[in-house]
């Protein structure tokens, strides 16, 4: 595709349920990032994938959060046992190198 | 000290004026600096990047970098109401892009 694609655009889930957020990066981009943006806040780094290297998970807020990237392309961010404080916009971004990153449209997660 | 610091604003400027946005960073090893614009309810979009000390101009936008003082700024000339957005500063030292909290700019018609 032309840009980073995320699905779903919006997700409403009940507290305690698991959710999966999907990111399809720009074709050929080796680096993939997940960020979280709470209402009125800045971008919080969650996790970074680069090719076949071990991901940098240093930003994941708890062990309820996990992410994988299959075949060096599509990535899935999973949140288990969702809590209300998980409500935010989850942004995925990708890049080829050091020339900046391009973002998807985000997934707005609401935990009720 | 936060890795990237920005004044959250809002910064209000009249239409046609110059808007000046500033950002300081703590990592002296940072190599690349970027400015993103984020409209309300939208994703951030890259508008400027700068690698070398000095100024870089692109249309109405000028990015300024001073590595010795560890600051980077963005000037928007002839500000328009359509420039009203949050401007995010980020840098990349190795691979991780650390973002500031952003400065909210309001251009008053």
């Amino acid at each position: 595709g032309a840009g980073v694609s995320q699905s779903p655009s919006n997700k409403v889930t009940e507290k305690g349920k698991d959710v999966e957020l999907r990111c399809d990066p720009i074709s050929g981009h080796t680096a993939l990032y997940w960020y979280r943006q709470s209402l009125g806040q800045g971008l919080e780094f969650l996790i970074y994938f680069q090719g076949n290297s071990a991901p940098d998970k240093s930003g994941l807020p708890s062990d309820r959060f996990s992410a994988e990237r299959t075949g060096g392309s599509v990535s899935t961010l999973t949140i288990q046992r969702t809590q209300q404080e998980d409500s935010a916009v989850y942004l995925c971004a990708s890049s080829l190198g050091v020339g900046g990153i391009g973002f998807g449209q985000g997934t707005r997660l609401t935990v009720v | 000290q936060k890795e990237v610091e920005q004044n959250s604003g809002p910064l209000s400027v009249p239409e046609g004026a110059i808007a000046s946005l500033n950002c300081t960073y703590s990592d002296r090893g940072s190599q690349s600096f970027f400015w993103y614009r984020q409209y309300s309810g939208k994703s951030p979009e890259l508008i400027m990047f700068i690698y070398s000390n000095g100024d870089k101009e692109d249309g109405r936008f000028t990015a300024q970098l001073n590595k010795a003082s560890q600051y980077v700024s963005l000037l928007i000339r002839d500000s328009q109401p359509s420039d009203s957005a949050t401007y995010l500063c980020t840098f990349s030292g190795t691979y991780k892009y650390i973002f500031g909290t952003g400065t909210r700019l309001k251009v008053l018609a």
Side-chain angles (χ1 to χ4, degrees):
Chain A
V4 178
S5 178
Q6 293 187 245
S7 61
S9 298
N10 285 282
K11 177 71 175 179
V12 180
T13 189
E14 292 181 352
K15 178 180 173 182
K17 295 285 181 67
D18 297 352
V19 294
E20 285 189 352
L21 312 180
R22 176 189 168 103
C23 173
D24 197 346
I26 295 172
S27 179
H29 279 195
T30 56
L32 186 148
Y33 303 76
W34 283 97
Y35 290 86
R36 178 170 71 174
Q37 189 171 37
S38 301
L39 187 64
Q41 301 299 308
L43 295 175
E44 176 187 7
F45 168 79
L46 297 178
I47 189 170
Y48 160 78
F49 295 91
Q50 173 61 56
N52 295 320
S53 302
D56 177 348
K57 305 179 182 179
S58 60
L60 294 179
S62 77
D63 58 8
R64 296 186 296 105
F65 288 72
S66 63
E68 63 177 18
R69 188 178 184 191
T70 54
S73 181
V74 172
S75 177
T76 302
L77 177 68
T78 301
I79 309 173
Q80 296 178 309
R81 306 182 301 282
T82 52
Q83 304 295 312
Q84 287 186 328
E85 61 263 30
D86 299 335
S87 297
V89 176
Y90 289 81
L91 290 160
C92 178
S94 71
S95 79
L96 276 173
V98 296
I101 55 178
F103 287 89
Q105 82 279 16
T107 293
R108 181 176 299 278
L109 176 65
T110 304
V111 182
V112 297
Chain B
Q1 181 185 7
K2 293 182 180 178
E3 293 185 77
V4 181
E5 296 211 41
Q6 295 183 257
N7 188 319
S8 61
L11 172 66
S12 295
V13 300
E15 183 175 358
I18 296 175
S20 177
L21 306 162
N22 300 306
C23 173
T24 58
Y25 60 94
S26 59
D27 183 359
R28 286 193 172 273
S30 302
Q31 299 297 319
S32 314
F33 302 86
F34 306 85
W35 283 98
Y36 283 76
R37 177 177 62 199
Q38 186 175 27
Y39 292 115
S40 181
K42 301 294 185 182
S43 297
E45 58 177 325
L46 179 64
I47 55 171
M48 286 287 287
F49 62 89
I50 186 166
Y51 303 135
S52 303
N53 275 327
D55 296 358
K56 179 182 178 182
E57 187 174 318
D58 183 1
R60 294 187 297 112
F61 298 95
T62 298
Q64 299 175 318
L65 174 61
N66 184 321
K67 291 190 177 182
S69 300
Q70 295 178 251
Y71 82 78
V72 57
S73 61
L74 179 70
L75 302 178
I76 306 176
R77 289 182 299 281
D78 188 24
S79 295
Q80 301 298 309
S82 59
D83 295 326
S84 297
T86 296
Y87 289 80
L88 301 162
C89 166
T90 184
F91 68 88
S92 176
T94 51
Y95 58 83
K96 190 186 298 185
Y97 290 81
I98 305 298
F99 285 82
T101 54
T103 298
R104 187 174 160 216
L105 173 67
K106 299 175 76 173
V107 180
L108 307 172

